[in-house]
Amino acid sequence: MSRHQAVKAINDKVTKSQAYDDLDDYDDEEYDAEEAEEQMRDGVRRAREVLGDEFTEEQIRESLWHYFYDVEKTVNYLLKQKTAAQSKPPPNRSKATMNPNESTCSQPFSVADFFKDCPWLSVPIERRGEILVEPLYPRGRLLGGSSQGSGKPSKLAALAAARKKKENEKAATEGKAASSSLAILDKLGPQADPSTKRKPQDAVSGNRGPATTDKSQTPATKPRKYPVRQKKELPLENPSKPKEEPVPEPNESAAAPEPEPSVNTEPSDFAQTILGSSPPQSSSPDIKPHLMQFNVFPESLTENPFAGPSPDDVVAKAQSVSKGLKLTKGPAKKDKAVDGVAKDLDKAKIDDAPQAKSKNLDVPAEYEKSEKKNSANFVVIGHVDSGKSTLMGRLLYDMKVIDERTIAKYRREAEQLGKASFALAWVLDSGSDERAYGVTIDFAAKRFKTDKTAFTILDAPGHRDFIPNMIAGASQADFAVLVVDASTGNFESGLKGQTKEHALLVRSVGAQRMIVAINKLDEVNWSQDRYDEIQQQVSAFLAAAGFQDSNVSFVPCSGLNGDNVTKRCTDSASSWYRGPILLDQLDKVAIPRTYAISGPLRLQISDVFSGGVQFPLSVAGRITSGNVQVGDKVICCPSNDSGFIRAIEVDDDLKDWAVAGMNVTLHLSHIDSARLKTGDIICNPANPVISRASFVIKALVFEHIFPQYLGVIVGRTNVEGRVENPLMARLDKSTGEVAKKKPKIFKPGDMGRMRIVVEEEGGLPIEAWTRVVLRDEGKTLATGLVEDL
């Protein structure tokens, strides 16, 4: 026995013992039969005194037994039974019953009338047929005997056959007598029209076929029980002309067919409400009686349900009349001017919106007259989790760009996710995925101003999977801020990771100045030895990447606490550093840069979005060359779609013009948003950027390169391409002269010339001296400049 079976048995025993214990609570009472019989006799005697002889002794005894010898209840029950029997009315035999054979029915039930609206019971006689299916096996004899005709039947089968034969002979005799009686009645009756005579059997059975009393004619065939299947007729020579059927000659003895009764039924109340009342039914022979006859009448569909006033109009009219208001009769007059404007608006399209008028300004002259303020863009780079976003969030918070209320909200939300230290990083990491995973995915732009310069922060992602986004942000920067984690072990891992690669990429896209922010130095108690060690190693690989020592500066800081960011650290352990803080160093490095303001317009789109109802299409980016003003016509490459500038925003302020070096938002019109994408170039129609299928670059090689497929990154654009075979030449680093023609491979550290073929349909819009980055499988292979197109 298993464990659970044993437990179940124990429970059953306990239940039974409890039941037996409950029975012990009742006292045993002995049943006295003589005493019961005495009570019964006494009850019967007393009941007889009240009821008399109207009830039998058996009825009285049964009632006494039911009411436990209570004489009063017994007498009341029996009297009540008698009263109920007397008050019950006799059955009414005058009402019609459902039995048609009962002779007392005033309105006999007719099955034919009940099913008269069923189409399958109204099949014409000429379409009826009889389907006979022969039995699968030969019929056997009744109660034994051989099933074959020659076999000898059993005694019981022979007796049944003889009885059946006798019954058939009796029925034949009765039929002859009936037919002779009917013949005598026909002779004695008045001479009627032979065409109206019908057989009595037809009158009873309801057959409407032609009848005759001439015995010389052949008797009518038995009507078929099922419709006859129509045979497919051969196509006629003239399908439009129906086939003429032979008309039978009139026979005086033949009876005219009785007109078919209409099988159309009146529609229900619901059908009359939805489809309207049905028209008078006609006895047209075109209607097939075996089809469903309820049709949708076309006159009910032509009625306009909204022709009359609505219930609300009726109520409003009644209220107006009760208040004594005058109602206008007839339709209101239309204003032709308003009607014309409405028609013009219906015909108008978004592209037909009037374009902004140009003021024909001399933008370079306006720029010289304007109050100039130095502006600079810097990109924040470094290894993942080095504290880049937190450091920039602290800088914006201390500069009052972000208010205290927003920071408090970020702190509450970060604590709920268990990331309390990420509150400042969320100032720049605004995406839901970035906040959930704690990693910057795309570069973010924020602005702040000092007394000397208007800065734009470009916070780049540090993860290796988002290097193309980092390159897109670095391509718009004037200088870089490299953030290094000073905590033990993290600096060494970052040096082997993206710290070096980011420095090489920033130098390759054109940045020449760099600030190295040694972050999290408070975790090592502001150790000067740790600071000197990091400064020595970083200076070595920055010099190898091409940065001059005079263009590189170091600042120890703590982004989480805000030490040496906008205010100097008050910790006594950091007293050894007396150099400039991070904010002062930014103003020192932000040297004004000269741009080609009078050159052709060049703006690479970094974002395409909708600026609202007023500006349905907007693009954002930095102007690298030329100038633009409201009302100018521009062209987008490589799609070559043209449009007009409706408005210009510079640092969230509407302006009439913008020049190179400014971060702007252009609100466009007369151009399809589906034809614009990130990485496209906005330029003048007179000087568009031509798309190229291939171009020659001079590049500095970081990994082995041979004729292969790779990714080509130009600013915000990332397309597929390949290195054409053979390689063109290996160059001398110092002189730039050709060292070897057509080498088979480029090694790391080489400088070479190669042709890049773009696999993108339509080519890549590119110009000479554009910076290009070549990457493959998450590695940067080379960076260089376009030499020849």
Side-chain angles (χ1 to χ4, degrees):
M1 179 184 294
S2 62
R3 184 177 181 87
H4 69 277
Q5 290 176 346
V7 173
K8 184 178 180 181
I10 293 172
N11 293 336
D12 294 341
K13 291 180 180 180
V14 172
T15 305
K16 290 179 181 180
S17 63
Q18 292 176 356
Y20 293 146
D21 293 342
D22 295 340
L23 293 176
D24 294 341
D25 296 339
Y26 298 94
D27 297 335
D28 294 336
E29 297 180 0
E30 296 181 359
Y31 177 73
D32 192 350
E34 294 180 0
E35 183 180 356
E37 182 63 25
E38 182 65 26
Q39 290 180 0
M40 179 64 72
R41 286 196 297 269
D42 183 61
V44 171
R45 179 182 57 77
R46 293 169 59 188
R48 283 289 186 190
E49 293 177 357
V50 179
L51 299 175
D53 298 336
E54 296 182 4
F55 298 93
T56 64
E57 185 176 355
E58 184 66 24
Q59 292 177 341
I60 297 174
R61 279 179 170 272
E62 184 178 359
S63 300
L64 287 171
W65 179 262
H66 179 73
Y67 288 107
F68 296 97
Y69 311 112
D70 191 339
V71 179
E72 183 179 358
K73 291 184 178 180
T74 301
V75 171
N76 293 335
Y77 171 73
L78 293 174
L79 292 176
K80 188 176 181 180
Q81 290 278 31
K82 180 181 178 181
T83 305
Q86 293 176 356
S87 62
K88 186 176 181 180
N92 187 8
R93 294 291 182 177
S94 62
K95 295 183 179 179
T97 61
M98 295 301 294
N99 187 6
N101 298 326
E102 188 174 357
S103 60
T104 59
C105 292
S106 61
Q107 295 180 0
F109 177 80
S110 176
V111 178
D113 294 338
F114 184 80
F115 292 100
K116 67 180 181 179
D117 57 343
C118 297
W120 53 84
L121 297 178
S122 302
V123 180
I125 296 176
E126 65 273 8
R127 298 193 63 182
R128 295 181 183 179
E130 185 175 0
I131 300 175
L132 299 177
V133 181
E134 296 187 4
L136 186 61
Y137 300 101
R139 186 176 179 180
R141 294 289 184 179
L142 178 64
L143 298 178
S146 175
S147 61
Q148 303 296 333
S150 60
K152 182 179 180 181
S154 62
K155 293 182 179 181
L156 186 58
L159 181 61
R163 183 178 297 175
K164 185 176 182 181
K165 181 178 179 181
K166 187 181 294 184
E167 291 177 355
N168 293 337
E169 291 175 356
K170 184 178 180 181
T173 304
E174 293 176 355
K176 289 180 180 179
S179 60
S180 60
S181 301
L182 292 174
I184 294 172
L185 290 175
D186 291 338
K187 292 179 180 179
L188 296 176
Q191 298 296 329
D193 189 1
S195 62
T196 61
K197 291 183 180 181
R198 300 175 62 190
K199 289 184 179 182
Q201 302 90 311
D202 295 338
V204 176
S205 62
N207 294 336
R208 300 182 178 87
T212 179
T213 57
D214 190 358
K215 295 181 180 181
S216 62
Q217 294 183 1
T218 59
T221 59
K222 185 178 180 181
R224 299 179 182 270
K225 298 181 180 179
Y226 301 96
V228 180
R229 178 176 294 179
Q230 296 288 342
K231 295 183 179 181
K232 187 175 182 182
E233 299 179 356
L234 295 175
L236 302 176
E237 297 180 359
N238 189 1
S240 61
K241 183 177 181 181
K243 183 178 180 181
E244 297 182 357
E245 298 180 357
V247 179
E249 297 180 359
N251 190 356
E252 296 181 356
S253 62
E258 184 179 348
E260 296 286 345
S262 176
V263 296
N264 289 342
T265 60
E266 291 294 331
S268 63
D269 296 339
F270 178 77
Q272 291 181 3
T273 304
I274 299 300
L275 303 174
S277 59
S278 60
Q281 298 179 358
S282 61
S283 58
S284 175
D286 297 338
I287 299 178
K288 302 297 183 181
H290 61 280
L291 300 176
M292 299 300 291
Q293 296 300 320
F294 187 79
N295 299 323
V296 178
F297 305 108
E299 59 272 10
S300 64
L301 300 179
T302 57
E303 298 178 358
N304 185 8
F306 301 100
S310 65
D312 293 340
D313 294 339
V314 174
V315 173
K317 182 178 180 180
Q319 293 176 351
S320 301
V321 172
S322 63
K323 295 179 181 179
L325 301 177
K326 294 182 179 180
L327 299 177
T328 58
K329 296 182 179 180
K333 296 182 179 180
K334 295 183 178 180
D335 191 352
K336 295 183 179 180
V338 175
D339 194 11
V341 172
K343 291 181 179 179
D344 294 339
L345 288 176
D346 293 338
K347 297 179 181 179
K349 299 180 181 179
I350 296 177
D351 292 341
D352 296 336
Q355 65 186 47
K357 294 183 179 179
S358 175
K359 296 182 179 180
N360 296 322
L361 301 175
D362 187 0
V363 176
E366 294 291 332
Y367 176 70
E368 293 295 334
K369 295 178 184 179
S370 64
E371 182 181 356
K372 299 178 183 179
K373 188 172 185 179
N374 187 24
S375 62
N377 295 0
F378 65 91
V379 60
V380 185
I381 59 175
H383 188 63
V384 63
D385 292 337
S386 60
K388 301 184 296 297
S389 299
T390 301
L391 179 61
M392 293 300 106
R394 169 61 69 174
L395 176 62
L396 294 173
Y397 174 63
D398 292 343
M399 295 299 296
K400 308 299 180 182
V401 177
I402 305 297
D403 57 0
E404 182 67 31
R405 184 177 180 180
T406 304
I407 293 296
K409 176 185 175 183
Y410 290 162
R411 284 174 179 168
R412 288 194 303 269
E413 294 177 355
E415 288 176 358
Q416 292 176 358
L417 296 177
K419 301 178 181 179
S421 61
F422 283 71
L424 292 172
W426 284 7
V427 175
L428 291 166
D429 296 342
S430 58
S432 59
D433 293 338
E434 293 178 333
R435 294 184 177 183
Y437 296 108
V439 177
T440 304
I441 297 177
D442 198 358
F443 75 91
K446 290 288 184 180
R447 301 180 181 89
F448 71 96
K449 296 180 181 179
T450 63
D451 296 336
K452 299 179 181 179
T453 311
F455 289 100
T456 300
I457 302 174
L458 302 173
D459 185 26
H463 200 277
R464 60 179 299 178
D465 293 340
F466 310 113
I467 290 294
N469 295 337
M470 176 265 163
I471 296 173
S475 63
Q476 301 180 22
D478 299 319
F479 63 94
V481 175
L482 176 63
V483 180
V484 178
D485 189 352
S487 57
T488 305
N490 291 336
F491 167 71
E492 288 74 14
S493 62
L495 199 61
K496 298 177 182 179
Q498 272 64 55
T499 302
K500 281 187 176 181
E501 185 177 10
H502 282 197
L504 289 172
L505 291 173
V506 167
R507 183 66 185 91
S508 301
V509 296
Q512 298 180 359
R513 300 183 302 278
M514 179 177 290
I515 299 175
V516 181
I518 304 177
N519 193 23
K520 303 182 182 180
L521 203 59
D522 56 327
E523 295 186 6
V524 294
N525 197 20
W526 296 94
S527 173
Q528 185 177 3
D529 295 337
R530 182 64 171 172
Y531 172 80
D532 294 338
E533 178 187 1
I534 294 173
Q535 182 181 13
Q536 183 179 0
Q537 295 188 31
V538 172
S539 299
F541 77 76
L542 287 181
F547 288 95
Q548 298 180 5
D549 294 340
S550 59
N551 293 334
V552 179
S553 57
F554 293 85
V555 177
C557 61
S558 174
L560 187 61
N561 299 326
D563 297 331
N564 289 342
V565 179
T566 59
K567 56 184 179 180
R568 190 169 296 276
C569 180
T570 58
D571 193 347
S572 59
S574 64
S575 59
W576 51 267
Y577 180 74
R578 293 302 176 191
I581 61 177
L582 180 60
L583 185 61
D584 296 339
Q585 194 66 35
L586 289 173
D587 281 332
K588 184 178 179 181
V589 174
I591 301 174
R593 182 177 174 182
T594 304
Y595 294 93
I597 297 177
S598 300
L601 175 64
R602 296 291 183 268
L603 182 146
Q604 189 174 38
I605 299 174
S606 61
D607 191 13
V608 181
F609 59 96
S610 175
V613 179
Q614 186 178 3
F615 304 116
L617 178 59
S618 303
V619 296
R622 189 182 191 190
I623 302 176
T624 58
S625 174
N627 59 82
V628 66
Q629 61 179 310
V630 175
D632 283 356
K633 183 179 180 180
V634 294
I635 189 172
C636 179
C637 298
S639 62
N640 294 327
D641 288 351
S642 60
F644 294 90
I645 298 177
R646 298 180 60 182
I648 300 174
E649 288 187 22
V650 179
D651 296 337
D652 299 331
D653 295 331
L654 290 175
K655 301 290 184 179
D656 293 333
W657 51 267
V659 297
M662 293 183 178
N663 300 300
V664 300
T665 299
L666 303 181
H667 303 289
L668 305 178
S669 65
H670 296 76
I671 190 170
D672 188 4
S673 60
R675 305 282 291 174
L676 296 177
K677 64 180 183 299
T678 302
D680 290 352
I681 299 177
I682 301 294
C683 51
N684 293 327
N687 297 301
V689 180
I690 302 175
S691 298
R692 307 289 181 176
S694 65
F695 49 87
V696 178
I697 66 169
K698 181 175 68 173
L700 179 63
V701 180
F702 303 135
E703 300 288 343
H704 290 86
I705 292 181
F706 48 87
Q708 65 185 78
Y709 286 90
L710 39 72
V712 181
I713 301 176
V714 180
R716 193 67 171 170
T717 306
N718 188 356
V719 298
E720 293 293 329
R722 59 183 174 87
V723 179
E724 191 178 47
N725 189 20
L727 301 177
M728 299 180 68
R730 180 184 295 116
L731 305 179
D732 184 78
K733 288 184 180 180
S734 57
T735 61
E737 300 295 331
V738 176
K740 183 178 181 180
K741 294 184 178 180
K742 298 182 179 180
K744 295 183 179 180
I745 192 173
F746 287 143
K747 299 179 181 180
D750 290 347
M751 179 176 289
R753 183 179 289 120
M754 67 192 85
R755 177 173 288 277
I756 304 298
V757 179
V758 180
E759 297 294 330
E760 187 79 9
E761 183 179 359
L764 179 68
I766 197 169
E767 293 181 303
W769 309 110
T770 302
R771 297 185 180 272
V772 180
V773 179
L774 305 180
R775 286 179 57 83
D776 184 36
E777 296 182 355
K779 295 181 180 180
T780 302
L781 303 183
T783 60
L785 296 172
V786 177
E787 274 192 336
D788 188 10
L789 300 174

